[in-house]
Amino acid sequence: MMLHIPAVLTLDEVNYLRLRLEQTDWVDGKETVGAQGAQVKQNRQLPEHAAVSLELGEIVRAAVKRHPTFISAALPLRIVPPLFNAYAGGEHYGLHVDGAIRQIPNSTMTLRTDVSSTLFLCDPDEYDGGELEVVDSYGTHEVKLPAGDLILYPSTSLHQVRPVTRGVRVCSFFWSQSMIRDDARRTMLFEMDQSIQSLRMQLGDSAEVLSLTAQYHNLLRMWAET
Ligand code: NI
């Protein structure tokens, strides 16, 4: 499932992150990628272990953890500290798949990448190109969102970032290990949860709504890894 979640960050949060990022030293994005990715990756990133990365990443992580749609769609068990990247002057990131396992910085823990997220920090009219393209069995999907909006997609997908030919594209990106490893199951639970919430708004806690809620939790109980 690909899902666009609007306004995950407030305008104030976006502006604060952008101001801080402008005052920060970026490094070559090849430093944080495996062998396949390094051949096709051309961008800049904040160093993963830098204090500023962890501090700014925490603002993004706190925002997604309090966002009910993100929680419902990703059902996160763990979220890596969000990272930041920038593309300009033709920089791009060719077709690749993200590594399955990531080390969590400053810890001995690892995380299985189930759900990938990109949070846009620039508006689409600030740069040309820079579309995120995600390939799945339904075709290729092009994404370029307003500042503060997030796209999530299964980490199993091939994807790329098209060359940025004008302006600068700055985003935050991160991975979640979901309690539900399988994308199809995660999608079913999301659709069910959204429908239950809509029914609850219309009908209140009717017997049927309570029954569906119980089934949702029983499926989660059956499938969740915690
Ligand atoms: Ni990627």
Side-chain angles (χ1 to χ4, degrees), residues 93 96-98 153 159 175:
Y93 193 169
H96 67 281
V97 72
D98 297 338
Y153 58 97
H159 55 279
W175 296 271

Side-chain angles (χ1 to χ4, degrees), residues 53 77-78 85 91 101 105 140 159:
S53 301
L77 176 63
R78 283 197 276 279
N85 60 19
E91 287 176 323
I101 306 291
T140 299
H159 55 279

Side-chain angles (χ1 to χ4, degrees), residues 62-145:
V64 297
K65 282 168 89 173
R66 67 172 182 253
H67 201 293
T69 312
F70 178 86
I71 297 297
S72 176
L75 291 168
L77 176 63
R78 283 197 276 279
I79 301 173
V80 288
L83 301 170
F84 297 87
N85 60 19
Y87 295 77
E91 287 176 323
H92 62 281
Y93 193 169
L95 200 62
H96 67 281
V97 72
D98 297 338
I101 306 291
R102 289 196 71 88
Q103 189 73 41
I104 297 184
N106 306 322
S107 118
T108 55
M109 286 173 81
T110 56
L111 171 148
R112 187 187 64 230
T113 58
D114 294 323
V115 179
S116 298
S117 300
T118 298
L119 199 162
F120 289 75
L121 295 173
C122 296
D123 277 316
D125 60 3
E126 294 181 72
Y127 58 96
D128 290 334
E131 297 85 0
L132 170 66
E133 284 188 1
V134 181
V135 182
D136 67 15
S137 51
Y138 292 101
T140 299
H141 310 278
E142 218 173 70
V143 184
K144 188 168 174 176
L145 300 179

